[in-house]
Amino acid sequence: MLTNNRVHRTSATPAARATRSVRGLVLACAAAAAVLTGCSMEEATCGGGEYPVLSIGGTGSACVPNGEEPPEGYTRYPEGKVPEHVGDKWDTYWQTHTVDEHGKIVEVPEGG
């Protein structure tokens, strides 16, 4: 008696191969997009369509919709000194500095 120990496996169906190919392509595109757009894990200071403002005489901040003026008691950050991400150079700087009622940058008193 002749026995055959081979196991016959059917190859993946064309639909299954296409699904795997599409899934792989989507993952590759997502990875490429993250690299090309400079995707990072940093948390933005404000959301899209908003800009950050600083409280006058304090270290508080808020986000204002683009095209609107800052609310009373707030002012725009000085040009070139606008925080973009939580913990970046300017976010850290403005934790110890503020703008006074005359627009002058001053150090915040310790504990203030």
Side-chain angles (χ1 to χ4, degrees), residues 46-107:
C46 290
E50 297 178 318
Y51 69 94
V53 293
L54 174 68
S55 65
I56 297 171
T59 58
S61 64
C63 295
V64 176
N66 291 340
E68 290 187 19
E69 289 300 313
E72 189 173 330
Y74 287 83
T75 188
R76 294 175 187 265
Y77 284 93
E79 190 172 331
K81 297 181 179 182
V82 181
E84 295 180 15
H85 296 97
V86 174
D88 72 9
K89 170 185 172 180
W90 293 115
D91 182 56
T92 302
Y93 176 83
W94 292 111
Q95 291 175 17
T96 57
H97 293 78
T98 192
V99 175
D100 68 14
E101 62 276 357
H102 304 291
K104 181 180 176 189
I105 296 174
V106 294
E107 234 178 289

Side-chain angles (χ1 to χ4, degrees), residues 22-62:
V22 169
R23 192 177 310 143
L25 181 61
V26 168
L27 289 173
C29 288
V35 170
L36 294 174
T37 60
C39 180
S40 74
M41 299 304 288
E42 295 177 317
E43 183 180 348
T45 302
C46 290
E50 297 178 318
Y51 69 94
V53 293
L54 174 68
S55 65
I56 297 171
T59 58
S61 64

